[in-house]
């Protein structure tokens, strides 16, 4: 594959009109941060929208400005890669409610102070409304495809259900049409960890120079466990000790897996806002595509003319294969063309972000077929 460097292509759009929300409220002056790669053709029909996961952002294939790390899907997006920027114009927008450039609880409200917990509760569909408004501003009426993994897959499904003429194809990876009780439970543990931290200050911590870092770190640790597989954890860490020959009989990080999780938690606090974590996890918990369409998931896709591809992983216990199969059955019931594949990978839910060559082939093949 070609390995030509991709420059940072970060941009921002301020929406010209108030953005209506599912809660009945609206937001003025919403700012959408996004990146784009490749060239939009004269027909404006070669655009692909990539939607990101919970702790992701629009830094899809260029270095992250805070961490300096490569874009979160740089292995997938670029010249000659499965999402080929020599062929496609690729757009990735930061979601509403985030802290990475798009309007969220850390943004400044009309009174000149950060929104904090005054920010309205949002939904996945609200995020998608922001994406569609961005597409309008770019002059893109119909996308070649929408591609999303995890929460990005939820956005893809929501766009398919609510904006049926805006894309010809949808590729949904390691995702679901609704959050289960177990999913909600894990998120609630994380939210309670944040809100129990005295530094949270009811969400009004921005003027104190330090937020609920301990609580956010614990939330990230708990969530990160759900992204991995038991086999993967065992292979990577087992019960091996961390930089010591024997147990300390104390509560330091004796085991490598403990040290790993603590690192994941602490490093997360350097780049993410605690209130944004509360709002985005709540949006995911509210997501139920069937509920939005009269209780029948097939109804959500009625009238669509798009093609669909669903991908799951055999070690993903956060959004297991049964969730993707449920969506595939609904799409079939709606009379839509759908392909479905379960891939074998040892990485659990995070498999869609890691080196799984079979996924590369699926992505490249499906996008090549979409016309």
């Amino acid at each position: 594959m070609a390995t030509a460097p991709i420059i940072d292509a970060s941009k921002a759009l301020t929406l010209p009109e108030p953005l209506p929300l599912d809660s009945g409220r609206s937001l003025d002056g919403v700012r959408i941060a996004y990146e784009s790669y490749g060239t939009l053709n004269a027909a404006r029909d070669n655009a692909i929208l990539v939607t990101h996961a919970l702790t992701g952002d629009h830094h899809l294939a260029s270095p992250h400005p805070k961490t300096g790390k490569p874009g979160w899907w740089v292995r997938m997006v670029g010249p000659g890669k499965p999402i080929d920027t020599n062929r496609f114009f690729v757009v990735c927008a930061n979601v509403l409610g985030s802290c990475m450039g798009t309007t969220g609880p850390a943004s400044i409200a009309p009174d000149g102070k950060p929104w904090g917990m005054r920010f309205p509760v949002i939904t996945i569909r609200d995020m998608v409304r922001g994406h569609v408004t961005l597409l309008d501003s770019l002059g893109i009426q119909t996308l070649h495809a929408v591609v999303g993994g995890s929460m990005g897959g939820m956005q893809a499904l929501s766009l398919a259900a609510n904006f049926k003429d805006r894309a010809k194809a949808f590729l949904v990876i390691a995702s679901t049409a609704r959050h289960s009780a177990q999913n909600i439970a894990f998120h609630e543990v994380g939210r309670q960890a944040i809100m129990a931290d005295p530094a949270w200050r009811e969400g009004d911590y921005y003027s104190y120079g330090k937020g609920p870092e301990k609580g956010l770190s614990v939330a990230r640790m708990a969530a990160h466990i759900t992204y991995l597989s038991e086999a993967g954890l065992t292979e990577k860490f087992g019960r091996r000790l961390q930089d010591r020959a024997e147990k300390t009989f104390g509560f330091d990080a004796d085991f490598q897996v403990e040290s790993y999780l603590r690192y994941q938690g602490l490093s997360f606090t350097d780049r993410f806002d605690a209130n944004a974590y509360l709002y985005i996890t709540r949006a995911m918990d509210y997501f139920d595509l069937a509920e939005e369409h009269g209780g029948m998931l097939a109804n959500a896709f009625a009238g669509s003319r798009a093609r669909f591809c669903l991908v799951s992983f055999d070690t993903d216990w956060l959004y297991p294969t049964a969730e993707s199969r449920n969506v595939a059955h609904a799409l079939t019931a709606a009379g839509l063309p759908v392909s479905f594949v379960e891939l074998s990978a040892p990485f659990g839910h995070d498999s869609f972000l890691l080196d799984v060559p079979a996924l590369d082939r699926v992505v490249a093949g499906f996008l090549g077929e979409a016309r």
Side-chain angles (χ1 to χ4, degrees), residues 164-316:
K164 291 183 171 61
D165 296 327
R166 297 307 296 255
K168 298 176 182 177
F170 293 86
L171 176 53
V172 179
I173 309 169
S175 195
T176 181
R178 59 118 174 102
H179 244 204
S180 68
Q182 177 176 266
N183 299 146
I184 296 169
F186 273 110
H187 276 173
E188 178 62 4
V189 169
R191 287 191 293 264
Q192 288 300 316
I194 291 169
M195 292 188 286
D197 187 328
W200 183 57
R201 302 176 186 272
E202 303 297 320
D204 188 20
Y205 51 81
Y206 297 106
S207 62
Y208 290 86
K210 185 177 181 181
E213 295 177 1
K214 293 180 180 178
L216 180 58
S217 178
V218 172
R220 174 62 170 176
M221 289 169 67
H224 197 74
I225 295 169
T226 71
Y227 305 151
L228 309 173
S229 70
E230 181 180 1
L233 280 172
T234 300
E235 180 180 355
K236 189 171 185 178
F237 303 110
R239 290 180 53 84
R240 291 186 291 277
L241 300 180
Q242 176 70 23
D243 298 330
R244 63 202 65 189
E246 58 186 23
K247 303 179 185 72
T248 64
F249 289 91
F251 294 97
D252 195 7
D254 276 358
F255 296 99
Q256 289 181 4
V257 68
E258 294 174 320
S259 178
Y260 170 76
L261 287 175
R262 291 185 186 190
Y263 170 77
Q264 291 293 329
L266 288 173
S267 62
F268 185 61
T269 64
D270 292 335
R271 69 176 180 88
F272 216 83
D273 176 61
N275 283 341
Y277 193 87
L278 298 179
Y279 276 86
I280 297 174
T281 57
R282 187 44 122 193
M284 295 174 73
D285 291 346
Y286 278 175
F287 185 61
D288 186 337
L289 206 53
E291 182 181 71
E292 293 177 9
H293 295 83
M296 291 287 292
L297 186 55
N299 291 346
F301 307 109
S304 174
R305 293 173 293 179
R307 297 172 58 253
F308 291 80
C309 178
L310 305 173
V311 180
S312 68
F313 297 97
D314 59 355
T315 55
D316 184 354

Side-chain angles (χ1 to χ4, degrees), residues 87-111:
R87 178 182 175 189
F88 299 116
F89 178 67
V90 181
V91 178
C92 183
N94 189 218
V95 299
L96 183 69
S98 182
C99 55
M100 294 302 300
T102 294
T103 299
S107 302
I108 301 302
D111 64 1

